[in-house]
Amino acid sequence: DDFVIDFNNDRVVYAVLTDVGGTGKTVAVPFTELSKTGNTFTLNTTKERLVNSPAFHMADMNNLSYAANVYGYYGVQPYWEER
């Protein structure tokens, strides 16, 4: 539904999705878990994994520990740790 952007590094941190799986839960997914074809983004994960991912709250938007937890959940190296 939304993207969280790191303007200091010109990167999309994650996509924020609401009401995943009809649960009412809001989650964040690393942008690398999305692929783009034309004007369409596709999420490259399962519904089960999405529903079980860490819940997102607005207070988490600038929380590096939360972001690292989300990246770890999806098995993705955080871009701020890349060399």
Side-chain angles (χ1 to χ4, degrees), residues 13-56:
V13 182
Y14 33 68
V16 177
L17 308 173
T18 58
D19 194 26
V20 295
T23 64
K25 183 178 179 182
T26 300
V27 301
V29 178
F31 190 67
T32 55
E33 292 296 298
L34 297 166
S35 58
K36 184 176 182 254
T37 304
N39 293 327
T40 303
F41 285 97
T42 302
L43 186 58
N44 302 314
T45 193
T46 65
K47 179 180 177 181
E48 180 181 0
R49 189 165 193 187
L50 187 61
V51 168
N52 291 317
S53 65
F56 175 84

